[in-house]
Amino acid sequence: MRTSSTSSRLLAATALVAALGLTLSACGGGSSDDNSGKSSGDAGSLKGQTITYWASNQGTSLDNDKQVLTPELNKFTQQTGIKVKLEVVGWADLLNRILAATTSGQGPDVLNIGNTWSASLQATGALLPWDTANFNKIGGKDRFAPAAIASAGEAGKDPAAVPLYSMAYGLYYNKKQFADAGLTPPKTWDQLVSDGKALTKDGHYGLAVEGGNGSENIHHAFVLAKQRGSDWFDASGKATFDTPANVAAVKQYVDFIAADKIAAKGDAEYAQNQTITDFATGKAAMMMWQSAATSIKAHGMTPDQYGVVPVPTQTEGATGDAGVTSMVAGINLAVFKNSSHQAAAVQLVKFLTSTPEQKILNGTYGSLPPVKEAQSDAAFQTPDLKVLAGVLGSSAAPLPQVPNESQFETLVGTAVKDLFADAAAGKSVTDDSVKAALTKAQQQMPAS
């Protein structure tokens, strides 16, 4: 899932679903001037139908996404006769819009969801399950990378969505600043802090973080906890937020501003991708980010000016959970189960996940294709993407695929945000204060 300020709104939205008892209305946003075609998939029954598609903001702006997607959707219409009404929805509004659609019946036929929401939205019962029969309609489940499928729904259940764009975190570093300081990219956190201190001077900082962005906070807290062998939920799905390992993970992250002082105090308020701006303009020498090439280029930094390596681990050469360096990031495609144009919607999913379209869309957005056949294209063999593909294939783990995952993002993401605010204000961030914040978040979680 691409980082955003969305998690600050997740709790209220998911509470809406709970309050309504997960009662679903029919969801179908297509026009009523066409044939039914809900289960029929033959070309004759689909031609002339109009379906709606809510796309997430992947480019530099909503308008940029429209410019990217419109010609591709026109191509789909030419091939199938199915018209597509496109709306690009910003991350700050997307989940609220989706959850409202599950209860109002006024929703799209096809939509993008952040992959970390998959299990939570799956629990509403609103999304079409991607069983073997449905996967076969789009070429089969085995076309997709296993890591991407693993973040498409709760374990043991048919996925609630289909992977569209895949991403992974890497450590981006400024080559010139590192060379001028006689440094090499860090492999451990101790090395990163040491390098960061050496690079923090004259109004420049060693690292930029997005402390006001709840999703970013969750992603890094998850990785740092995973490296300590810890999870945020037990096997039954019950929250275990305030374990010693989770406390240590959150404190380590907040200490980049608090104790280590390698990130600017102002970073505690960053919530709208300002981290990329600071990195691309040279204000910060490092950042941890998902597949950022396109956004970096938009700020004027060229690919030869930066490098990408895996995010550090606690000890060099760590493997297994200790070697996890990223959550499995990405965007999935979902279909509303009660869409009156389900067959046409599935055809759009088939088109967008076809190998040619995977190359075009992921190449444009600087993300990785979850479709294995597309990954070998030259566009995805750049040095940065090769590193990120390696991370995705060998050292990335999916965030907890549990129904209450979205509440986890909201509550813990906000707790970390508040701890960053304390650090920026000069307040002491201690094991006790971190534990208190995580205990409070855990107590606010609904019973699983």
Side-chain angles (χ1 to χ4, degrees):
M1 171 181 177
R2 192 173 294 277
T3 54
S4 67
S5 59
T6 306
S7 61
S8 62
R9 305 187 182 202
L10 294 177
L11 186 58
T14 49
L16 170 65
V17 174
L20 293 171
L22 305 181
T23 301
L24 305 177
S25 301
C27 299
S31 300
S32 59
D33 59 353
D34 53 90
N35 300 321
S36 173
K38 178 175 181 179
S39 59
S40 174
D42 62 279
S45 67
L46 302 181
K47 187 175 181 180
Q49 289 192 22
T50 299
I51 59 175
T52 58
Y53 174 34
W54 284 357
S56 56
N57 177 205
Q58 299 302 125
T60 55
S61 67
L62 302 185
D63 285 340
N64 172 248
D65 283 305
K66 292 176 185 177
Q67 293 168 7
V68 170
L69 295 173
T70 297
E72 302 312 309
L73 296 175
N74 288 342
K75 187 189 306 181
F76 170 72
T77 299
Q78 291 170 2
Q79 292 177 7
T80 64
I82 302 168
K83 299 176 184 179
V84 182
K85 181 180 178 181
L86 170 68
E87 181 178 358
V88 182
V89 184
W91 283 105
D93 302 314
L94 185 57
L95 186 61
N96 283 2
R97 294 277 303 275
I98 294 169
L99 289 171
T102 67
T103 58
S104 70
Q106 302 299 312
D109 301 288
V110 183
L111 65 156
N112 287 167
I113 64 173
N115 66 357
T116 65
W117 304 340
S118 294
S120 294
L121 292 176
Q122 184 179 47
T124 70
L127 303 183
L128 176 71
W130 286 87
D131 56 17
T132 300
N134 283 327
F135 263 116
N136 285 344
K137 295 175 185 177
I138 63 170
K141 185 177 180 180
D142 60 357
R143 296 179 60 240
F144 298 88
I149 292 292
S151 61
E154 192 173 353
K157 296 183 179 180
D158 291 321
V162 175
L164 178 63
Y165 311 124
S166 287
M167 289 165 272
Y169 275 89
L171 177 70
Y172 290 72
Y173 67 97
N174 185 306
K175 288 183 177 179
K176 185 177 187 302
Q177 291 183 21
F178 266 71
D180 289 348
L183 300 172
T184 57
K187 296 181 179 180
T188 68
W189 292 111
D190 285 346
Q191 292 168 3
L192 181 142
V193 171
S194 177
D195 291 350
K197 289 180 177 179
L199 292 161
T200 299
K201 57 184 177 181
D202 303 326
H204 297 267
Y205 286 85
L207 180 71
V209 296
E210 197 99 348
N213 186 325
S215 295
E216 276 288 292
N217 294 340
I218 284 297
H219 299 165
H220 297 300
F222 168 77
V223 168
L224 290 167
K226 201 74 172 173
Q227 291 181 357
R228 291 172 164 84
S230 182
D231 288 305
W232 295 85
F233 295 86
D234 64 19
S236 69
K238 181 180 178 181
T240 56
F241 296 168
D242 59 359
T243 65
N246 291 347
V247 169
V250 169
K251 187 173 186 301
Q252 180 183 347
Y253 184 47
V254 177
D255 271 347
F256 292 145
I257 288 179
D260 303 325
K261 304 184 188 305
I262 61 173
K265 290 183 178 180
D267 289 13
E269 299 181 0
Y270 281 6
Q272 295 292 341
N273 300 351
Q274 295 102 313
T275 289
I276 295 177
T277 303
D278 281 2
F279 177 75
T281 58
K283 183 179 177 180
M286 293 180 283
M287 71 172 182
M288 297 175 290
W289 207 262
Q290 309 171 35
S291 308
T294 301
S295 296
I296 292 173
K297 182 179 179 181
H299 288 287
M301 192 179 201
T302 58
D304 62 305
Q305 293 177 312
Y306 66 90
V308 183
V309 295
V311 167
T313 52
Q314 304 297 332
T315 58
E316 192 169 336
T319 59
D321 281 357
V324 168
T325 65
S326 176
M327 44 82 72
V328 176
I331 308 301
N332 293 343
L333 275 169
V335 172
F336 269 113
K337 184 167 61 178
N338 292 332
S339 166
S340 58
H341 312 290
Q342 190 180 106
V346 170
Q347 286 300 306
L348 180 58
V349 174
K350 180 179 181 180
F351 173 78
L352 293 173
T353 59
S354 67
T355 297
E357 284 304 306
Q358 281 285 287
K359 292 178 181 179
I360 292 169
L361 293 174
N362 284 280
T364 299
Y365 287 131
S367 48
L368 295 162
V371 171
K372 292 182 286 187
E373 187 179 19
Q375 293 173 355
S376 60
D377 188 85
F380 310 108
Q381 303 308 307
T382 57
D384 59 329
L385 288 180
K386 288 176 74 172
V387 170
L388 297 176
V391 168
L392 195 60
S394 64
S395 62
L399 280 173
Q401 294 293 304
V402 296
N404 289 333
E405 194 280 335
S406 57
Q407 290 97 320
F408 160 58
E409 288 201 28
T410 298
L411 293 167
V412 175
T414 300
V416 178
K417 174 185 175 180
D418 291 344
L419 289 165
F420 267 123
D422 287 345
K427 296 181 181 178
S428 180
V429 176
T430 65
D431 289 342
D432 287 343
S433 66
V434 173
K435 180 178 173 61
L438 294 180
T439 298
K440 180 180 177 181
Q442 182 171 313
Q443 290 170 343
Q444 292 176 285
M445 284 289 288
S448 56

